[in-house]
Amino acid sequence: MTISQICKISQEVERNELLTTVVLDGVYKKGTKEADGDFVLRVTYPTETMKVLIQQVTEKLAGKTHKGGIVVRGSYGSGKSHALLTLFHLCADSERANDWLRKWDMPFTFPENVRVAAVQLVAENAENLWEFLFERLGENELLSTISRYPSREQWAEIGRKKPTVLLIDELEAWYESADERAVQRNALQNLMEAAELEGVHLSVVVSVYGTNDEIMAVLNRTHPPTLDVGTAVDRWRIVRHRLLDDLDEGKAREVVQKYLKVYENLRDHLPQVQDFDELRKEMEQRYPFHPHFLHKVFEVYGLIPRHEMTRGVIALCATLLRRRARERDFILAGDLDALDEEIASDLRKLDPQKVENAQKDLQERCKDIPYASEFLGAALLYSVGNQQGISEGEMWMATLSPGRNINDLRDALEEVGRKALFFEKQNGFWVVTVEESLE
């Protein structure tokens, strides 16, 4: 059985039309995926962090808590904008929102008369923090009364009229090039303080990297809940939810069992596997992606400064599904074939020089060696950045499958090691190198 026979892969993946980069201001542009609330909620998996965010917003709107300010923190591409986009559509249509909450067994509700405004400060080249927000709420009259910046009372008036949610994206990046920074800080301080007032049904969700000390000092004055979307332990569920429409769990378990039988027969070669029952559980949960592969991919994307984190992992996994689902029964690290241009394009974002070196070895020195592309592909994943490389046990995990003989794999690995110029063993780990091997 192949993955395509077990899983129903999303049409977005099949057509290479996956929405990976969210543009929050797209909610105001007809015809965009961001403006399609049904689509956004369908592709959104509510991680535990997302559930906490939704609970905090709904409780503020219902008057159950006075904490109205929320900071959504995360690295580049970690899902901050997607979190705000999801909140926008939950607030914009309470009936649809509450249906979605029930589907995911969340005991929260959005009131019917919520109004919401969002701003992507950088993309929209906002002159100040507040103008777009007031206009999108229809508060032009109140906007006209503002002097230098909104007072605490002017912000609070918004929340006294109706339950209101304000979503502010890319605050720090915008602030760093903004005019009159002191004015913007004062406006933000007043907004966060207004969201703390009793009787003011105003929730403010701000996305940040957490790197600008001046902005963080203002936000932290009111001690808002700070949620890090980039560290959610169930991020792997986002990947599966985004890329698969359905799968046959019974068939997936059959495949998992075949792999486990191979692993159990080769226990001495896989010292990193301590608990086979836990491995079985993880393989079934994460199918069609091997848990060792998925864990390493998240780790690698987290190591690369200002890289795409969850967004990058989703894009890479989508590419692998599109390229491998009809021929593979599991996605392993060895499926990262550097000679497949679509896969190589994703890998170059991590380490272009090592990808080029792996390609040279595969094209010029190792093209006739069985499994060479798998060895170099797995080693690439474990070599980007300053990683030490891939252990022999993990190399077998990245390349073993039912029907393969580990002795054949070992012989091929040793041959690649002898012939390749940019692939060598260092301190017991196989690495793709920048410089040619001296051996």
Side-chain angles (χ1 to χ4, degrees), residues 114-115 128 222 395:
V114 177
R115 57 181 182 169
N128 55 54
T222 54
M395 184 65 87

Side-chain angles (χ1 to χ4, degrees), residues 35-285:
D36 185 343
D38 291 331
F39 166 79
V40 170
L41 295 183
R42 177 169 58 80
V43 302
T44 298
Y45 177 82
T47 63
E48 292 304 314
T49 303
M50 176 69 82
K51 291 177 182 177
V52 173
L53 174 60
I54 293 169
Q55 179 179 11
Q56 191 70 34
V57 171
T58 54
E59 288 185 352
K60 175 61 179 181
L61 296 178
K64 295 179 180 179
T65 179
H66 73 278
K67 301 298 292 184
I70 306 169
V71 175
V72 175
R73 185 170 180 163
S75 60
Y76 182 72
S78 59
K80 301 183 300 298
S81 297
H82 192 104
L84 269 59
L85 178 65
T86 303
L87 271 179
F88 181 92
H89 287 292
L90 290 173
C91 295
D93 186 331
S94 62
E95 182 178 354
R96 178 174 58 198
N98 294 327
D99 285 344
W100 188 79
L101 294 175
R102 283 191 292 270
K103 170 187 172 183
W104 292 104
D105 296 322
M106 284 184 270
F108 327 124
T109 56
F110 278 86
E112 293 183 3
N113 59 340
V114 177
R115 57 181 182 169
V116 59
V119 62
Q120 212 287 6
L121 291 166
V122 173
E124 299 189 82
N125 194 22
E127 289 188 14
N128 55 54
L129 179 67
W130 59 89
E131 190 168 342
F132 278 120
L133 295 172
F134 277 82
E135 289 177 349
R136 287 168 179 170
L137 291 173
E139 293 287 356
N140 291 297
E141 184 176 341
L142 183 57
L143 177 62
S144 68
T145 67
I146 294 172
S147 179
R148 292 194 66 204
Y149 52 83
S151 67
R152 184 194 305 122
E153 183 57 30
Q154 285 170 320
W155 284 119
E157 189 174 338
I158 290 174
R160 290 196 182 101
K161 291 179 178 179
K162 283 184 178 180
T164 301
V165 177
L166 302 180
L167 308 171
I168 302 173
D169 200 15
E170 298 286 2
L171 174 60
E172 288 168 304
W174 169 80
Y175 173 78
E176 287 168 5
S177 62
D179 295 329
E180 297 187 289
R181 289 189 182 184
V183 168
Q184 310 306 332
R185 291 197 304 273
N186 291 342
L188 179 63
Q189 178 178 321
N190 286 342
L191 172 58
M192 298 299 286
E193 290 178 357
E196 296 291 300
L197 298 175
E198 298 283 354
V200 174
H201 301 290
L202 175 63
S203 182
V204 180
V205 185
V206 181
S207 79
V208 298
Y209 296 115
T211 56
N212 186 285
D213 291 341
E214 292 181 353
I215 287 294
M216 295 310 298
V218 174
L219 292 174
N220 289 334
R221 281 174 57 90
T222 54
H223 305 288
T226 300
L227 307 176
D228 194 330
V229 295
T231 59
V233 295
D234 51 353
R235 289 174 297 174
W236 59 269
R237 294 184 186 274
I238 300 175
V239 177
R240 274 209 352 177
H241 184 77
R242 287 294 306 277
L243 305 185
L244 302 181
D245 286 343
D246 198 6
L247 84 160
D248 187 320
E249 294 184 1
K251 290 181 179 179
R253 282 194 293 271
E254 289 180 31
V255 174
V256 169
Q257 187 57 41
K258 290 178 181 178
Y259 274 77
L260 282 169
K261 187 175 180 179
V262 172
Y263 298 157
E264 288 170 351
N265 289 335
L266 296 169
R267 285 174 180 265
D268 293 343
H269 299 277
L270 304 170
Q272 73 275 30
V273 181
Q274 300 296 317
D275 188 336
F276 279 86
D277 287 336
E278 182 63 24
L279 178 59
R280 175 186 288 104
K281 177 182 175 182
E282 291 186 355
M283 290 177 73
E284 290 176 355
Q285 287 178 333

Side-chain angles (χ1 to χ4, degrees), residues 353 355-366 422:
Q353 185 60 60
V355 172
E356 181 181 339
N357 290 349
Q359 289 176 327
K360 288 179 180 178
D361 274 336
L362 289 171
Q363 291 167 336
E364 300 171 10
R365 289 167 282 275
C366 303
F422 300 99

